[in-house]
Amino acid sequence: MTVQNEATTTGVILTDTAAAKVGALLEQEGRDDLRLRIAVQPGGCSGLRYQLYFDEREMDGDVDADFSGVHVVTDKMSAPYLMGATIDFVDTIEKQGFTIDNPNASGSCACGDSFH
């Protein structure tokens, strides 16, 4: 399956590196009912900001995708903003954390925490 086709069916794409990191974090939590939820909320200096967190809730209209056993869910209001976005995890001397490459963002702030 190509990345473009995968994005069409899942909404977001979780890289193998990010899936491994999320899996390790979930293992530390010791719970098997949690999924990674990505949402878009108003805020930040560019108007919209990303939220990544573990969630056990199932909401009506959620888009649920499985990446190597890691479930990623997006609520129905956030899904259009995140269609085709790639979530990765970087661990370098300069930066550590999750990154989001979103083709729907027309711009972002200097800190990279918000977009429009």
Side-chain angles (χ1 to χ4, degrees):
M1 175 180 279
T2 66
V3 170
Q4 186 176 19
N5 288 341
E6 188 174 342
T8 301
T9 60
T10 64
V12 297
I13 300 161
L14 192 67
T15 66
D16 292 340
T17 304
K21 182 61 176 181
V22 172
L25 292 170
L26 285 170
E27 190 174 309
Q28 286 178 348
E29 290 292 321
R31 292 177 55 184
D32 61 359
D33 63 330
L34 295 175
R35 295 165 297 183
L36 178 66
R37 182 172 291 279
I38 179 169
V40 173
Q41 300 291 324
C45 45
S46 288
L48 297 170
R49 64 185 175 136
Y50 301 110
Q51 288 190 324
L52 290 169
Y53 56 96
F54 292 129
D55 195 3
E56 72 276 351
R57 297 173 297 157
E58 291 183 32
M59 294 190 256
D60 187 40
D62 274 350
V63 177
D64 188 345
D66 182 282
F67 297 92
S68 303
V70 172
H71 282 270
V72 178
V73 293
T74 308
D75 65 87
K76 65 182 174 183
M77 299 300 285
S78 298
Y81 294 102
L82 297 167
M83 186 64 64
T86 301
I87 303 169
D88 196 10
F89 184 79
V90 295
D91 189 3
T92 66
I93 197 165
E94 296 172 334
K95 183 178 183 179
Q96 181 183 38
F98 290 96
T99 62
I100 301 172
D101 180 17
N102 188 347
N104 302 304
S106 59
S108 64
C109 62
C111 64
D113 287 337
S114 65
F115 70 100
H116 61 274

